[in-house]
Amino acid sequence: MDTTTPSLALHPFTVEDAERLLSGEVDPHDGWAGGYSFTDEPELLREFVRAVRMSGDPAPFGPYLVRLPDEGAAIGGVNLFGPLSDDGEIEFAFGLVPAARGRGLAEIVVGEALALVRANGGLVATAEAEIANLPARRVLERVGMGERSRTSESITYAIRF
């Protein structure tokens, strides 16, 4: 089921979607704005199917496509790497195509992802951002996430619900 806001929708990406794309059956809604789509990265699709077969469907966690209202092409994605750990923690990652950046949409995407985690029993959410990726770091900070740890290349942010 889609999670919708006035600005965007998060559409769950399913095993059926992945298997359909891997078989070569592509729907117009599979494309991303700017031409990118999951069909360009079959290894991600195979890994998702493999993970589900090994560990079960992580729904309501897992990958989501981000779309603008009334538009078919995805403008990005968010992946909640579920299921939750035994202590209620989950990691997530997000990204938007370049044409969708700079409009405040990433903050909405991350906020909705965190709301989904919280509504489904998550106690802690984490995300990693490269130190050089200042826009992603600022988004994570604006939604209330704080630095948990850092390496020479990246910072891990966390929020406790």
Side-chain angles (χ1 to χ4, degrees), residues 13 15 18-19 21-23 38-39 41-53:
F13 189 78
V15 171
E19 289 173 334
L21 289 171
L22 285 167
S23 75
F38 281 136
T39 58
E41 297 190 30
E43 67 279 0
L44 292 177
L45 297 172
R46 284 189 205 90
E47 174 57 27
F48 174 57
V49 171
R50 186 193 67 73
V52 169
R53 287 185 179 145

Side-chain angles (χ1 to χ4, degrees), residues 2-105:
D2 286 3
T3 300
T4 59
T5 75
S7 303
L8 53 82
L10 299 178
H11 174 73
F13 189 78
T14 66
V15 171
E16 293 78 20
D17 291 329
E19 289 173 334
R20 179 177 49 74
L21 289 171
L22 285 167
S23 75
E25 185 183 328
V26 179
D27 180 289
H29 285 348
D30 293 329
W32 283 40
Y36 174 86
S37 79
F38 281 136
T39 58
D40 296 333
E41 297 190 30
E43 67 279 0
L44 292 177
L45 297 172
R46 284 189 205 90
E47 174 57 27
F48 174 57
V49 171
R50 186 193 67 73
V52 169
R53 287 185 179 145
M54 287 183 63
S55 304
D57 189 345
F61 307 117
Y64 286 79
L65 297 176
V66 178
R67 292 192 173 107
L68 296 175
D70 303 322
E71 292 188 25
I75 60 160
V78 62
N79 196 350
L80 301 163
F81 300 103
L84 296 170
S85 70
D86 290 340
D87 57 354
E89 187 168 311
I90 193 166
E91 180 182 358
F92 73 95
F94 68 98
L96 297 177
V97 297
R101 296 177 188 160
R103 301 177 3 202
L105 296 172

